C-alpha cells in the first residue's frame, strides 16, 4: 500500500495538515501525536495546530457522522486520536493563554448510568475547541450546581437514556431558576428518548439529537452569548 510509505516528517506543512485530517478520520492516534509534535517543532503556534489540524479534521468527522457516513465506533476512534494530539497541545495552550471556544460541564442525570452518547458529545466538544468537565453518570442536582459554581462554564449539558430519568432534567433546571442562576448558563439536553418538545417543556435552551448537532448548537449559542450587549 502506498499509504505505508508516507513519512510525515517529509511532508510540507500544508500536506501534513491534510494528512492529519485523513489520519484523524481513520482514528490513527500515534500518527496524530507524531504530526502534532512535528508542527510544534516547526514553530507552529499551539492554537494554530489545534484549530487548523485537529478541530478542522474533527469538523469533517462530525459532518460525516451527522450525515450517516460514519458511525459511533469510528467517531470514538477519531476522538481518541484527537485526544492524543490534545494531550500534547493542552499544556502549551495553557502556557500561551490561547483563546478557547467556551467551556462545558456535562453529565448523565441521577438514576441513569448510560454514558456512551455523553462521552461522544464530550469528545466532539473538545475536538471543536471547547474545554469540557465531564461529571460522569448518576448526577444529582447538587452535583450539577456545585460544578457550575466551581467551573463557571458557558454550557451545562445533561444526558438521559431512560424515559424514567428524563424528568430529572426539569428538576435541575427548576432548581437553577429558584436560585436565580438559570439565565447564566446555556442548557443543552440530549439522549435517545428526548425530543425538541420535551426540551422546550422543561425549559432547556436546546435539544441535541447527536454529538455533531451538539457541537453546532453549542457554537451558535456561545457565539450569541459572547456577542450580545451586556444589559
Amino acid at each position: 500500500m502506498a499509504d505505508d510509505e508516507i513519512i510525515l516528517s517529509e511532508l510540507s506543512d500544508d500536506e501534513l495538515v491534510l494528512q492529519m485530517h485523513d489520519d484523524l478520520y481513520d482514528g490513527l492516534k500515534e500518527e496524530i501525536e507524531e504530526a502534532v509534535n512535528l508542527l510544534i517543532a516547526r514553530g507552529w503556534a499551539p492554537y494554530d495546530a489545534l484549530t487548523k489540524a485537529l478541530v478542522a479534521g474533527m469538523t469533517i468527522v462530525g459532518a460525516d457522522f451527522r450525515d450517516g457516513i460514519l458511525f459511533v465506533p469510528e467517531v470514538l476512534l477519531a476522538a481518541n486520536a484527537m485526544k492524543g494530539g490534545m494531550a500534547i497541545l493542552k499544556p502549551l495552550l495553557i502556557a500561551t493563554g490561547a483563546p478557547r471556544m467556551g467551556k462545558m460541564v456535562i453529565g448523565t442525570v441521577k438514576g441513569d448510568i448510560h454514558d456512551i452518547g455523553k462521552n461522544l458529545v464530550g469528545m466532539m466538544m473538545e475536538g471543536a475547541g471547547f474545554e469540557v468537565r465531564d461529571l460522569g453518570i448518576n448526577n444529582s442536582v447538587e452535583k450539577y450546581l456545585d460544578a457550575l459554581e466551581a467551573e463557571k462554564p458557558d454550557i451545562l449539558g445533561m444526558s438521559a437514556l431512560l424515559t424514567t430519568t428524563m424528568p430529572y432534567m426539569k428538576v435541575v433546571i427548576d432548581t437553577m431558576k429558584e436560585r436565580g442562576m438559570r439565565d447564566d448558563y446555556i442548557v443543552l439536553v440530549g439522549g435517545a428518548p428526548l425530543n425538541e418538545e420535551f426540551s422546550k417543556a422543561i425549559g432547556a435552551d436546546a435539544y441535541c439529537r447527536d454529538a455533531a448537532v451538539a457541537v453546532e448548537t453549542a457554537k451558535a449559542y456561545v457565539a450569541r452569548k459572547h456577542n450580545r450587549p451586556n444589559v
Side-chain angles (χ1 to χ4, degrees), residues 106-215:
I106 190 170
T108 306
V109 296
K110 189 175 180 182
D112 207 316
I113 58 167
H114 296 89
D115 67 355
I116 291 177
K118 170 191 65 64
N119 293 349
L120 195 53
V121 170
M123 287 176 171
M124 293 284 283
M125 290 288 287
E126 284 193 333
F130 283 84
E131 188 182 335
V132 178
R133 167 88 200 285
D134 188 342
L135 302 179
I137 56 173
N138 195 26
N139 287 288
S140 64
V141 171
E142 293 73 26
K143 199 165 172 200
Y144 280 120
L145 298 192
D146 287 350
L148 293 179
E149 292 287 345
E151 302 289 339
K152 299 281 187 284
D154 301 286
I155 303 166
L156 169 63
M158 289 188 284
S159 169
L161 193 67
L162 304 173
T163 51
T164 50
T165 59
M166 284 166 56
Y168 198 77
M169 292 178 170
K170 187 174 189 302
V171 175
V172 176
I173 292 171
D174 286 349
T175 307
M176 290 170 73
K177 286 177 182 168
E178 284 164 22
R179 300 200 187 174
M181 57 194 290
R182 170 64 187 90
D183 293 343
D184 297 337
Y185 304 98
I186 299 157
V187 179
L188 304 181
V189 295
L194 277 67
N195 57 35
E196 196 64 56
E197 292 76 54
F198 175 79
S199 132
K200 285 196 177 81
I202 63 170
D205 286 298
Y207 155 71
C208 302
R209 183 180 76 244
D210 59 37
V213 172
V215 168

Side-chain angles (χ1 to χ4, degrees), residues 68-80:
I69 298 163
L70 287 178
F71 298 97
V72 169
E74 293 136 316
V75 177
L76 286 172
L77 275 173
N80 190 49

Side-chain angles (χ1 to χ4, degrees), residues 7-27:
I7 298 168
L8 296 178
S9 59
E10 292 179 359
L11 300 178
S12 70
D13 285 11
D14 288 347
E15 290 169 336
L16 183 57
V17 167
L18 289 175
Q19 185 61 43
M20 289 173 77
H21 295 172
D22 287 348
D23 288 347
L24 262 181
Y25 199 90
D26 295 334

Side-chain angles (χ1 to χ4, degrees), residues 33-46:
E33 290 168 343
E34 181 187 343
V36 167
N37 281 322
L38 278 170
L39 288 178
I40 297 302
R42 292 179 185 184
W44 275 54

